[in-house]
Each structure stands twice: as C-alpha cells, then as structure tokens.
Amino acid sequence: MSRPAVSVIVPAYQTTAYIAEALDCLRAQTFRDFETIVVNDGCPDTAALEAVLRPYRDEIRYYRVDNGGPGSARNHAIRLAEAPLLATLDSDDLWTPDYLAVHTR
C-alpha cells in the first residue's frame, strides 16, 4: 500500500453533533489521495462520539488521547501522519468538494 499524498487531521472534542458532516465533506472530496486521522481529545461524550464515527471507521484512523486541547490533538496526529502534506479540518467545519484538489495543485 502506498503512502497517501495528504494526511487530514481532525481533532474531536465536544463535536459529536457536527463531526459526521465534517467527515461527509471529506467523502465528497474530488481529490482522493488522502488519509483521515481523527483524534478524540478526551471528549466527555466519547461513547456517543464513537457511535457517530462507527460508519466511518473503515475510512479513518481513530485515536483517543487525554484532553490536552486542539493543538495537542493535532500534534498527536502529526506524529502519526503518513503523508508528506498535512491539512487540518476542525470537526465542526466543512470543506467544498474541491478543497484538497485546489490546495494540492
């Protein structure tokens, strides 16, 4: 398996209600050579978050860490990233379908 071109890093803390939309916007990307790393940053509703993430588990790499804030979660994901390029997507944000295509030209 070859390494992806982009590692998309998604820290998750108290965004259970929103993260599915963020992951759906990744599913809609026209540029497909990326991996998605979701880091649960000590989310107080981890059980609910993991239930929401269940349909995406084959498409994401998921990690749980103690709460350290979004920067700490991002740094954890950066250490695990396999791609030479990094993109950060907050779990309550959305990208247009061409976001990665435009930014990897």
Side-chain angles (χ1 to χ4, degrees):
M1 199 169 165
S2 65
R3 126 182 148 155
V6 179
S7 293
V8 178
I9 296 168
V10 184
Y13 182 83
Q14 292 188 336
T15 59
T16 301
Y18 311 107
I19 196 165
E21 288 181 271
L23 295 176
D24 286 342
C25 87
L26 292 176
R27 280 182 171 171
Q29 291 300 299
T30 58
F31 180 88
R32 301 299 312 156
D33 191 10
F34 66 91
E35 67 174 345
T36 303
I37 304 171
V38 176
V39 179
N40 174 342
D41 185 32
C43 189
D45 61 340
T46 290
L49 173 65
E50 290 178 349
V52 170
L53 293 177
R54 197 166 293 121
Y56 303 92
R57 290 305 295 263
D58 291 339
E59 303 165 46
I60 66 172
R61 293 172 52 200
Y62 173 72
Y63 300 92
R64 292 171 64 175
V65 297
D66 292 333
N67 181 257
S72 176
R74 284 186 192 102
N75 286 337
H76 183 80
I78 288 168
R79 288 190 292 276
L80 299 168
E82 295 181 4
L85 300 174
L86 302 173
T88 59
L89 173 65
D90 288 340
S91 54
D92 61 350
D93 285 343
L94 302 174
W95 289 344
T96 59
D98 64 343
Y99 183 88
L100 287 174
V102 168
H103 286 83
T104 56
R105 285 187 197 161

